[in-house]
Short mmCIF file of all heavy atoms in Angstrom, two decimals:
data_model
loop_
_atom_site.label_atom_id
_atom_site.label_comp_id
_atom_site.label_asym_id
_atom_site.label_seq_id
_atom_site.Cartn_x
_atom_site.Cartn_y
_atom_site.Cartn_z
N MET A 1 8.42 14.97 -7.65
CA MET A 1 7.88 13.62 -7.50
C MET A 1 9.03 12.64 -7.54
O MET A 1 9.96 12.75 -8.33
CB MET A 1 6.92 13.32 -8.64
CG MET A 1 6.20 12.09 -8.45
SD MET A 1 4.69 11.81 -9.48
CE MET A 1 5.12 12.74 -10.93
N LYS A 2 8.90 11.59 -6.64
CA LYS A 2 9.99 10.62 -6.62
C LYS A 2 9.52 9.24 -6.93
O LYS A 2 8.33 8.88 -6.72
CB LYS A 2 10.66 10.62 -5.18
CG LYS A 2 11.35 11.91 -4.86
CD LYS A 2 12.28 11.73 -3.70
CE LYS A 2 13.00 13.03 -3.37
NZ LYS A 2 13.87 13.49 -4.41
N CYS A 3 10.41 8.50 -7.45
CA CYS A 3 10.17 7.06 -7.87
C CYS A 3 9.80 6.30 -6.62
O CYS A 3 10.55 6.37 -5.60
CB CYS A 3 11.34 6.49 -8.60
SG CYS A 3 11.14 4.80 -9.00
N SER A 4 8.75 5.50 -6.68
CA SER A 4 8.31 4.71 -5.49
C SER A 4 9.40 3.55 -5.21
O SER A 4 9.38 3.08 -4.10
CB SER A 4 6.99 4.08 -5.84
OG SER A 4 6.00 5.10 -5.97
N PHE A 5 10.18 3.27 -6.17
CA PHE A 5 11.15 2.13 -5.96
C PHE A 5 12.51 2.63 -5.63
O PHE A 5 13.01 2.29 -4.59
CB PHE A 5 11.18 1.33 -7.22
CG PHE A 5 12.02 0.06 -7.07
CD1 PHE A 5 11.52 -1.03 -6.39
CD2 PHE A 5 13.26 -0.04 -7.64
CE1 PHE A 5 12.33 -2.18 -6.26
CE2 PHE A 5 14.09 -1.14 -7.48
CZ PHE A 5 13.65 -2.24 -6.80
N CYS A 6 13.09 3.48 -6.42
CA CYS A 6 14.47 3.84 -6.22
C CYS A 6 14.65 5.28 -5.63
O CYS A 6 15.72 5.59 -5.18
CB CYS A 6 15.26 3.72 -7.55
SG CYS A 6 14.92 5.00 -8.73
N GLY A 7 13.62 6.07 -5.63
CA GLY A 7 13.69 7.42 -4.99
C GLY A 7 14.24 8.43 -5.87
O GLY A 7 14.49 9.59 -5.44
N SER A 8 14.53 8.16 -7.13
CA SER A 8 14.97 9.21 -8.06
C SER A 8 13.90 10.19 -8.40
O SER A 8 12.71 9.81 -8.34
CB SER A 8 15.43 8.56 -9.38
OG SER A 8 16.59 7.74 -9.07
N ASP A 9 14.33 11.38 -8.67
CA ASP A 9 13.36 12.36 -9.13
C ASP A 9 12.79 12.01 -10.53
O ASP A 9 13.49 11.58 -11.41
CB ASP A 9 13.98 13.76 -9.23
CG ASP A 9 14.21 14.32 -7.81
OD1 ASP A 9 13.25 14.21 -6.96
OD2 ASP A 9 15.26 14.92 -7.60
N ILE A 10 11.47 12.20 -10.63
CA ILE A 10 10.84 11.90 -11.90
C ILE A 10 10.45 13.26 -12.54
O ILE A 10 9.73 14.03 -11.93
CB ILE A 10 9.59 11.06 -11.72
CG1 ILE A 10 9.91 9.85 -10.95
CG2 ILE A 10 8.98 10.69 -13.10
CD1 ILE A 10 8.71 9.00 -10.54
N LYS A 11 10.90 13.52 -13.74
CA LYS A 11 10.53 14.72 -14.45
C LYS A 11 9.09 14.63 -14.94
O LYS A 11 8.61 13.55 -15.28
CB LYS A 11 11.46 14.91 -15.64
CG LYS A 11 12.87 15.29 -15.22
CD LYS A 11 13.74 15.59 -16.50
CE LYS A 11 15.16 15.91 -16.05
NZ LYS A 11 16.05 16.01 -17.22
N ARG A 12 8.45 15.73 -14.93
CA ARG A 12 7.05 15.78 -15.41
C ARG A 12 6.95 15.27 -16.87
O ARG A 12 7.72 15.54 -17.67
CB ARG A 12 6.65 17.25 -15.38
CG ARG A 12 5.13 17.48 -15.21
CD ARG A 12 4.88 19.00 -15.21
NE ARG A 12 3.46 19.23 -15.18
CZ ARG A 12 2.79 19.27 -14.06
NH1 ARG A 12 3.41 19.11 -12.92
NH2 ARG A 12 1.50 19.46 -14.06
N GLY A 13 5.97 14.37 -17.02
CA GLY A 13 5.78 13.87 -18.38
C GLY A 13 6.61 12.59 -18.70
O GLY A 13 6.54 12.09 -19.77
N THR A 14 7.47 12.26 -17.71
CA THR A 14 8.25 10.98 -17.95
C THR A 14 7.89 9.99 -16.91
O THR A 14 7.15 10.22 -16.00
CB THR A 14 9.75 11.31 -17.86
OG1 THR A 14 10.08 11.66 -16.53
CG2 THR A 14 10.19 12.39 -18.87
N GLY A 15 8.42 8.80 -17.06
CA GLY A 15 8.21 7.74 -16.07
C GLY A 15 6.88 6.99 -16.27
O GLY A 15 6.25 7.19 -17.31
N GLN A 16 6.63 6.13 -15.30
CA GLN A 16 5.53 5.28 -15.41
C GLN A 16 4.61 5.48 -14.20
O GLN A 16 5.09 5.68 -13.06
CB GLN A 16 5.98 3.77 -15.38
CG GLN A 16 7.02 3.47 -16.47
CD GLN A 16 6.39 3.13 -17.77
OE1 GLN A 16 5.32 2.59 -17.81
NE2 GLN A 16 7.10 3.44 -18.83
N VAL A 17 3.34 5.42 -14.45
CA VAL A 17 2.29 5.44 -13.36
C VAL A 17 1.59 4.18 -13.25
O VAL A 17 1.16 3.64 -14.24
CB VAL A 17 1.34 6.64 -13.59
CG1 VAL A 17 0.30 6.66 -12.43
CG2 VAL A 17 2.05 7.92 -13.69
N TYR A 18 1.42 3.69 -12.04
CA TYR A 18 0.72 2.44 -11.82
C TYR A 18 -0.30 2.55 -10.69
O TYR A 18 0.05 3.03 -9.63
CB TYR A 18 1.71 1.30 -11.48
CG TYR A 18 1.11 -0.02 -11.24
CD1 TYR A 18 0.69 -0.79 -12.35
CD2 TYR A 18 0.89 -0.47 -9.93
CE1 TYR A 18 0.05 -1.96 -12.15
CE2 TYR A 18 0.22 -1.75 -9.78
CZ TYR A 18 -0.20 -2.44 -10.87
OH TYR A 18 -0.79 -3.64 -10.67
N ALA A 19 -1.53 2.22 -11.04
CA ALA A 19 -2.57 2.34 -10.02
C ALA A 19 -2.91 0.93 -9.48
O ALA A 19 -3.25 0.05 -10.24
CB ALA A 19 -3.80 3.00 -10.72
N LYS A 20 -2.71 0.76 -8.17
CA LYS A 20 -2.99 -0.51 -7.62
C LYS A 20 -4.54 -0.70 -7.35
O LYS A 20 -5.31 0.18 -7.48
CB LYS A 20 -2.28 -0.59 -6.22
CG LYS A 20 -0.83 -0.64 -6.36
CD LYS A 20 -0.16 -1.32 -5.18
CE LYS A 20 -0.33 -0.61 -3.88
NZ LYS A 20 0.45 -1.22 -2.84
N VAL A 21 -4.89 -1.95 -7.18
CA VAL A 21 -6.30 -2.30 -7.01
C VAL A 21 -6.96 -1.50 -5.89
O VAL A 21 -8.13 -1.15 -5.94
CB VAL A 21 -6.46 -3.80 -6.77
CG1 VAL A 21 -7.93 -4.18 -6.75
CG2 VAL A 21 -5.72 -4.58 -7.79
N ASP A 22 -6.12 -1.24 -4.86
CA ASP A 22 -6.75 -0.51 -3.67
C ASP A 22 -6.77 0.97 -3.87
O ASP A 22 -7.14 1.74 -2.97
CB ASP A 22 -5.89 -0.89 -2.36
CG ASP A 22 -4.46 -0.49 -2.49
OD1 ASP A 22 -4.11 0.25 -3.37
OD2 ASP A 22 -3.71 -0.81 -1.55
N GLY A 23 -6.46 1.45 -5.04
CA GLY A 23 -6.51 2.88 -5.30
C GLY A 23 -5.19 3.63 -5.12
O GLY A 23 -5.12 4.79 -5.48
N THR A 24 -4.22 2.95 -4.52
CA THR A 24 -2.93 3.59 -4.39
C THR A 24 -2.23 3.90 -5.77
O THR A 24 -2.19 2.93 -6.57
CB THR A 24 -1.92 2.72 -3.52
OG1 THR A 24 -2.63 2.41 -2.30
CG2 THR A 24 -0.71 3.45 -3.23
N VAL A 25 -1.72 5.05 -5.93
CA VAL A 25 -1.10 5.31 -7.20
C VAL A 25 0.47 5.36 -6.97
O VAL A 25 0.90 6.12 -6.08
CB VAL A 25 -1.56 6.63 -7.87
CG1 VAL A 25 -0.72 6.92 -9.15
CG2 VAL A 25 -3.00 6.55 -8.08
N LEU A 26 1.14 4.59 -7.69
CA LEU A 26 2.64 4.56 -7.59
C LEU A 26 3.17 5.23 -8.79
O LEU A 26 2.77 5.06 -9.93
CB LEU A 26 3.15 3.17 -7.48
CG LEU A 26 2.57 2.34 -6.26
CD1 LEU A 26 3.04 0.86 -6.38
CD2 LEU A 26 3.04 2.95 -4.97
N ASN A 27 4.32 5.99 -8.61
CA ASN A 27 5.05 6.61 -9.67
C ASN A 27 6.46 6.01 -9.79
O ASN A 27 7.13 5.81 -8.75
CB ASN A 27 5.11 8.11 -9.38
CG ASN A 27 3.80 8.75 -9.36
OD1 ASN A 27 3.20 8.97 -10.44
ND2 ASN A 27 3.36 9.12 -8.19
N PHE A 28 6.82 5.82 -11.00
CA PHE A 28 8.14 5.15 -11.22
C PHE A 28 8.95 5.92 -12.24
O PHE A 28 8.33 6.47 -13.22
CB PHE A 28 8.01 3.72 -11.70
CG PHE A 28 7.30 2.81 -10.68
CD1 PHE A 28 6.02 2.43 -10.89
CD2 PHE A 28 7.95 2.43 -9.48
CE1 PHE A 28 5.26 1.74 -9.93
CE2 PHE A 28 7.28 1.71 -8.56
CZ PHE A 28 5.99 1.28 -8.83
N CYS A 29 10.26 5.96 -12.10
CA CYS A 29 11.08 6.72 -13.02
C CYS A 29 11.32 5.99 -14.24
O CYS A 29 11.57 6.53 -15.31
CB CYS A 29 12.45 7.07 -12.37
SG CYS A 29 13.45 5.61 -12.03
N SER A 30 11.13 4.70 -14.21
CA SER A 30 11.41 3.85 -15.46
C SER A 30 10.53 2.66 -15.31
O SER A 30 10.01 2.26 -14.22
CB SER A 30 12.85 3.50 -15.47
OG SER A 30 13.23 2.58 -14.44
N ARG A 31 10.42 1.96 -16.47
CA ARG A 31 9.73 0.68 -16.52
C ARG A 31 10.42 -0.33 -15.61
O ARG A 31 9.84 -1.21 -15.07
CB ARG A 31 9.67 0.21 -17.94
CG ARG A 31 8.73 -0.94 -18.15
CD ARG A 31 8.32 -1.12 -19.60
NE ARG A 31 7.27 -2.17 -19.67
CZ ARG A 31 5.99 -1.97 -19.48
NH1 ARG A 31 5.57 -0.77 -19.28
NH2 ARG A 31 5.17 -3.02 -19.49
N ARG A 32 11.74 -0.30 -15.53
CA ARG A 32 12.52 -1.15 -14.73
C ARG A 32 12.01 -1.23 -13.28
O ARG A 32 11.78 -2.16 -12.67
CB ARG A 32 13.98 -0.85 -14.80
CG ARG A 32 14.85 -1.67 -13.87
CD ARG A 32 16.32 -1.28 -14.05
NE ARG A 32 16.66 0.04 -13.62
CZ ARG A 32 17.86 0.55 -13.57
NH1 ARG A 32 18.83 -0.14 -13.94
NH2 ARG A 32 18.02 1.76 -13.19
N CYS A 33 11.86 0.08 -12.74
CA CYS A 33 11.40 0.21 -11.40
C CYS A 33 9.99 -0.34 -11.21
O CYS A 33 9.66 -0.91 -10.14
CB CYS A 33 11.52 1.68 -10.94
SG CYS A 33 13.21 2.23 -10.75
N MET A 34 9.12 -0.10 -12.09
CA MET A 34 7.81 -0.59 -12.05
C MET A 34 7.77 -2.10 -11.99
O MET A 34 7.11 -2.75 -11.18
CB MET A 34 6.95 -0.09 -13.18
CG MET A 34 5.49 -0.49 -13.07
SD MET A 34 4.40 0.30 -14.26
CE MET A 34 4.85 -0.64 -15.70
N VAL A 35 8.50 -2.68 -12.93
CA VAL A 35 8.56 -4.18 -12.98
C VAL A 35 9.12 -4.75 -11.75
O VAL A 35 8.66 -5.76 -11.27
CB VAL A 35 9.44 -4.65 -14.22
CG1 VAL A 35 9.67 -6.09 -14.21
CG2 VAL A 35 8.67 -4.25 -15.49
N TYR A 36 10.17 -4.18 -11.20
CA TYR A 36 10.77 -4.70 -10.00
C TYR A 36 9.82 -4.64 -8.79
O TYR A 36 9.75 -5.49 -7.96
CB TYR A 36 12.09 -3.96 -9.66
CG TYR A 36 13.26 -4.38 -10.51
CD1 TYR A 36 13.04 -5.27 -11.57
CD2 TYR A 36 14.54 -3.96 -10.18
CE1 TYR A 36 14.13 -5.73 -12.29
CE2 TYR A 36 15.63 -4.39 -10.94
CZ TYR A 36 15.43 -5.26 -11.99
OH TYR A 36 16.46 -5.63 -12.67
N THR A 37 9.05 -3.51 -8.68
CA THR A 37 8.14 -3.36 -7.65
C THR A 37 7.05 -4.35 -7.76
O THR A 37 6.67 -4.99 -6.72
CB THR A 37 7.58 -1.87 -7.70
OG1 THR A 37 8.62 -0.95 -7.44
CG2 THR A 37 6.51 -1.74 -6.54
N LEU A 38 6.50 -4.45 -8.92
CA LEU A 38 5.37 -5.48 -9.07
C LEU A 38 5.88 -6.89 -8.83
O LEU A 38 5.09 -7.79 -8.49
CB LEU A 38 4.82 -5.29 -10.48
CG LEU A 38 4.17 -3.97 -10.80
CD1 LEU A 38 3.58 -3.95 -12.18
CD2 LEU A 38 3.21 -3.58 -9.74
N ALA A 39 7.14 -7.20 -9.07
CA ALA A 39 7.67 -8.43 -8.79
C ALA A 39 8.04 -8.67 -7.34
O ALA A 39 8.51 -9.71 -6.95
CB ALA A 39 8.93 -8.71 -9.68
N GLY A 40 7.78 -7.65 -6.48
CA GLY A 40 8.05 -7.75 -5.06
C GLY A 40 9.56 -7.71 -4.70
O GLY A 40 9.94 -8.21 -3.68
N LYS A 41 10.37 -7.07 -5.57
CA LYS A 41 11.75 -6.97 -5.23
C LYS A 41 11.97 -5.94 -4.11
O LYS A 41 11.26 -4.97 -3.96
CB LYS A 41 12.51 -6.46 -6.44
CG LYS A 41 12.41 -7.30 -7.71
CD LYS A 41 13.26 -8.54 -7.65
CE LYS A 41 13.20 -9.30 -8.98
NZ LYS A 41 13.89 -10.55 -8.92
N ASP A 42 13.04 -6.22 -3.36
CA ASP A 42 13.42 -5.32 -2.25
C ASP A 42 14.41 -4.27 -2.82
O ASP A 42 15.51 -4.64 -3.29
CB ASP A 42 14.03 -6.12 -1.18
CG ASP A 42 14.37 -5.26 0.07
OD1 ASP A 42 14.35 -4.00 -0.07
OD2 ASP A 42 14.71 -5.84 1.16
N SER A 43 13.97 -3.00 -2.83
CA SER A 43 14.85 -1.96 -3.43
C SER A 43 16.20 -1.85 -2.81
O SER A 43 17.19 -1.35 -3.38
CB SER A 43 14.17 -0.67 -3.38
OG SER A 43 13.95 -0.14 -2.11
N ARG A 44 16.32 -2.25 -1.50
CA ARG A 44 17.60 -2.07 -0.86
C ARG A 44 18.66 -3.04 -1.32
O ARG A 44 19.85 -2.86 -1.02
CB ARG A 44 17.39 -2.33 0.66
CG ARG A 44 16.70 -1.15 1.39
CD ARG A 44 16.24 -1.56 2.80
NE ARG A 44 15.31 -2.60 2.75
CZ ARG A 44 14.67 -3.07 3.85
NH1 ARG A 44 14.99 -2.57 5.02
NH2 ARG A 44 13.72 -4.00 3.75
N LYS A 45 18.23 -4.01 -2.12
CA LYS A 45 19.25 -4.99 -2.67
C LYS A 45 19.84 -4.46 -3.95
O LYS A 45 20.76 -5.11 -4.48
CB LYS A 45 18.47 -6.31 -2.97
CG LYS A 45 18.14 -7.03 -1.66
CD LYS A 45 17.41 -8.29 -1.95
CE LYS A 45 16.90 -8.97 -0.68
NZ LYS A 45 16.05 -10.15 -0.92
N PHE A 46 19.47 -3.32 -4.40
CA PHE A 46 19.98 -2.82 -5.68
C PHE A 46 20.88 -1.63 -5.49
O PHE A 46 20.48 -0.65 -4.86
CB PHE A 46 18.82 -2.45 -6.63
CG PHE A 46 18.00 -3.66 -6.96
CD1 PHE A 46 16.89 -4.04 -6.24
CD2 PHE A 46 18.38 -4.45 -8.10
CE1 PHE A 46 16.13 -5.14 -6.57
CE2 PHE A 46 17.58 -5.56 -8.41
CZ PHE A 46 16.49 -5.92 -7.67
N LYS A 47 22.02 -1.68 -6.01
CA LYS A 47 23.08 -0.62 -5.80
C LYS A 47 22.61 0.70 -6.37
O LYS A 47 22.96 1.73 -5.85
CB LYS A 47 24.37 -0.97 -6.52
CG LYS A 47 25.16 -2.09 -5.74
CD LYS A 47 26.49 -2.33 -6.38
CE LYS A 47 27.26 -3.47 -5.68
NZ LYS A 47 28.45 -3.76 -6.47
N TRP A 48 21.82 0.76 -7.48
CA TRP A 48 21.50 1.92 -8.12
C TRP A 48 20.31 2.63 -7.43
O TRP A 48 19.86 3.68 -7.80
CB TRP A 48 21.21 1.69 -9.60
CG TRP A 48 20.32 0.49 -9.87
CD1 TRP A 48 20.68 -0.77 -10.08
CD2 TRP A 48 18.85 0.43 -9.88
NE1 TRP A 48 19.58 -1.55 -10.21
CE2 TRP A 48 18.50 -0.82 -10.18
CE3 TRP A 48 17.86 1.47 -9.74
CZ2 TRP A 48 17.18 -1.24 -10.23
CZ3 TRP A 48 16.53 1.11 -9.78
CH2 TRP A 48 16.16 -0.22 -10.05
N VAL A 49 19.76 2.01 -6.35
CA VAL A 49 18.69 2.64 -5.68
C VAL A 49 19.23 3.64 -4.62
O VAL A 49 20.14 3.33 -3.92
CB VAL A 49 17.86 1.54 -4.97
CG1 VAL A 49 16.84 2.12 -4.04
CG2 VAL A 49 17.15 0.68 -6.01
N LYS A 50 18.60 4.81 -4.64
CA LYS A 50 19.13 5.86 -3.74
C LYS A 50 18.56 5.84 -2.35
O LYS A 50 19.22 6.26 -1.45
CB LYS A 50 18.72 7.26 -4.37
CG LYS A 50 19.49 7.55 -5.65
CD LYS A 50 19.04 8.93 -6.24
CE LYS A 50 19.79 9.21 -7.55
NZ LYS A 50 19.31 10.52 -8.02
N ASN A 51 17.40 5.45 -2.20
CA ASN A 51 16.69 5.59 -0.91
C ASN A 51 17.00 4.39 0.04
O ASN A 51 16.06 3.79 0.59
CB ASN A 51 15.18 5.81 -1.10
CG ASN A 51 14.53 4.62 -1.73
OD1 ASN A 51 15.14 3.73 -2.31
ND2 ASN A 51 13.23 4.56 -1.66
N GLN A 52 18.20 4.02 0.24
CA GLN A 52 18.48 2.91 1.05
C GLN A 52 18.65 3.31 2.53
O GLN A 52 19.18 4.38 2.75
CB GLN A 52 19.83 2.22 0.61
CG GLN A 52 19.92 2.10 -0.86
CD GLN A 52 20.83 1.01 -1.31
OE1 GLN A 52 21.16 0.08 -0.54
NE2 GLN A 52 21.29 1.02 -2.53
ZN1 ZN B 101 13.11 4.41 -10.06
#
């Protein structure tokens, strides 16, 4: 499973899960990625993001 924001692998039992109103479930490796996504940040602007 990969982080919806930065593309890092998420180990089972770790990370954050967020369910959107429309039913889409997003998985994040960290709270940071979840917060950035919900804030509408563009992942390509962050150096530590892998999936650019
Ligand atoms: Zn991430």
Side-chain angles (χ1 to χ4, degrees):
M1 189 167 26
K2 294 196 182 295
C3 176
S4 297
F5 185 76
C6 72
S8 295
D9 284 318
I10 306 170
K11 290 180 183 175
R12 206 181 175 84
T14 65
Q16 306 276 328
V17 178
Y18 179 79
K20 295 206 293 188
V21 186
D22 63 8
T24 306
V25 177
L26 300 173
N27 296 285
F28 300 104
C29 66
S30 66
R31 192 161 184 84
R32 174 176 66 174
C33 287
M34 184 172 76
V35 169
Y36 280 9
T37 298
L38 298 184
K41 302 281 189 186
D42 185 347
S43 63
R44 286 170 296 184
K45 292 178 181 172
F46 296 91
K47 286 183 181 174
W48 46 269
V49 169
K50 291 180 180 177
N51 61 346
Q52 320 205 16

